Amino acid sequence: MTATLPRNSRHDVLLARLDELRTERLQTLSELTAPSSGDDADRATNVDGHVRLAMLDRRILALEDELSSDGTAIADGKIHAGNVVTLDFGDGPEPYVFGSVEQAGDGVDVITPGSPLGQALTGAQIGSTISYAASPRRTLQVTVVAVS
């Protein structure tokens, strides 16, 4: 498995995902603005559409922010959003992108900063062994092998 994306490929993946989200937003918006003379159940669907539209807006904004800072990952040996990290869970080193789920793709595994593992890894340095709670009764360890 290879998760290392060259900057241009990573950028292209993010741009493609942004296009998908914008298309989905336009579709949702068109469904919301369609004339309706329905009953209470139809209006409930309309509320769901507004919630979905707000969620899409947040995801689009986050992705635009990520694209605007693309390529500016800090190279200080610590883990920051946008880095490719190589981790060893005890079965040998494996590469991951440390960032948003929008960066996931074929052969690209992502660890999000908000996940329990991501929270434990944020700011960790090469060579660190990190413990994190995978579930309430299960603690795991991972070693940071490389950060790029």
Side-chain angles (χ1 to χ4, degrees):
M1 160 179 52
T2 173
T4 304
L5 284 177
R7 184 193 178 284
N8 289 340
S9 293
R10 178 178 176 272
H11 188 80
D12 292 344
V13 167
L14 294 176
L15 282 175
R17 184 63 183 138
L18 182 59
D19 285 342
E20 291 171 9
L21 289 171
R22 287 179 174 158
T23 300
E24 187 176 344
R25 185 189 186 283
L26 287 174
Q27 177 63 33
T28 301
L29 190 58
S30 71
E31 292 168 3
L32 288 174
T33 58
S36 175
S37 59
D39 59 7
D40 288 340
D42 290 332
R43 284 189 289 282
T45 301
N46 196 4
V47 170
D48 290 344
H50 283 287
V51 170
R52 189 166 143 221
L53 187 64
M55 179 209 58
L56 287 167
D57 285 341
R58 282 192 305 272
R59 290 178 67 193
I60 288 169
L61 182 61
L63 195 51
E64 288 172 339
D65 286 346
E66 190 169 342
L67 279 164
S68 69
S69 66
D70 195 28
T72 60
I74 303 168
D76 61 1
K78 295 181 181 179
I79 298 174
H80 301 279
N83 287 136
V84 174
V85 297
T86 303
L87 305 175
D88 187 348
F89 291 89
D91 298 329
E94 298 177 55
Y96 297 88
V97 172
F98 189 72
S100 73
V101 295
E102 309 303 341
Q103 295 173 279
D106 292 336
V108 179
D109 292 324
V110 174
I111 297 172
T112 60
S115 68
L117 175 56
Q119 289 175 12
L121 287 172
T122 300
Q125 295 182 323
I126 296 170
S128 300
T129 298
I130 307 297
S131 295
Y132 68 100
S135 66
R137 294 188 177 124
R138 187 169 182 212
T139 300
L140 299 176
Q141 289 190 333
V142 61
T143 300
V144 179
V145 177
V147 178
S148 59

